[in-house]
Amino acid sequence: MRFEIFTLFPAMFESVLSESILKRARERGLLQVNLHNIRDYATDKHRVTDEPPYGGGGGMLLKVEPIVRAVESVLQGERVPIVLTTPQGERFTQRMAADFAQYPRLAIICGRYEGVDERVRQLLVTHEVSIGDYVLSGGELAAMVMLDAIARHIPNVLGNAESAPNDSFSSGLLEGAQYTRPPEFRGLRVPEVLLQGDHGAVARWRRASAIRRTWLRRPELLLNAPLSDAERYLLGELADELARGVRSETDALP
Ligand code: ADE
């Protein structure tokens, strides 16, 4: 998959692209990230990319011409989703990450300062995306968040084929408790079932742990999570436990 990122600060992306999963995906040719400096497309002597808004008010807006020139010269008329990162956008989700990963090529315009000239939206943008209800100094961090979450859905990017479906949200649930060695640390023991090698029992324990954690932390996710009848019954038991004041996230369920 190919990303075309339009930004005033391409250097911000370097460390994120040069480590771990994204680095490996690029080396293996599964992911290509082209960074385009919007400033290179400003035509005036001082390469101005921002101006104060008409009508006054504080702050600076990204100008329309350099962005349009940059995007048009890179995309060459190809029909590609063009995302603008903005706190006014639709909230980014795991579902959206999986959907964007279906495209062979995706453009992201990183908003900056107090915003962008409205005509950028009118002329170019197909999707406006926010990564959460808070304001960042610019869209670069949001673009990196999206890039990382989308790349995880590109086939073969993750080493272990199981990891993506088990990730929190992919199953509609948060991921449950997990342990690695040693079996006991400061008196805290790993649940016995995980040490015994019964794969069916382990799978049931994990599922129950995920449901428990989701119930305790993000109960609204359970409204849409695909649960079996037996699992819905477990929710009733959890509700009883809560009513009795038991609130452990890690205990196995019956
Ligand atoms: N730019 C500034 N804040 C942002 C946010 N929360 N999401 C996406 N882009 C942004």
Side-chain angles (χ1 to χ4, degrees), residues 85-87 111 129-139 142:
T85 55
T86 161
V129 178
S130 163
I131 61 163
D133 289 346
Y134 39 80
V135 178
L136 303 165
S137 308

Side-chain angles (χ1 to χ4, degrees), residues 98-119:
D99 290 345
F100 278 132
Q102 304 304 310
Y103 293 100
R105 198 177 184 199
L106 181 69
I108 305 181
I109 301 170
C110 301
R112 265 274 143 181
Y113 307 118
E114 273 64 46
V116 301
D117 187 304
E118 187 65 18
R119 290 164 292 187

Side-chain angles (χ1 to χ4, degrees), residues 1 3 81 91-104 106 127 129 145-155 164-165 167-171:
M1 181 174 183
F3 283 81
R91 182 86 65 88
F92 189 58
T93 60
Q94 184 77 343
R95 170 81 263 149
M96 225 191 265
D99 290 345
F100 278 132
Q102 304 304 310
Y103 293 100
L106 181 69
H127 300 73
V129 178
V145 165
M146 293 182 65
L147 180 61
D148 189 289
I150 293 168
R152 297 174 62 80
H153 293 274
I154 300 172
D167 275 351
S168 289
F169 303 113
S170 281
S171 63

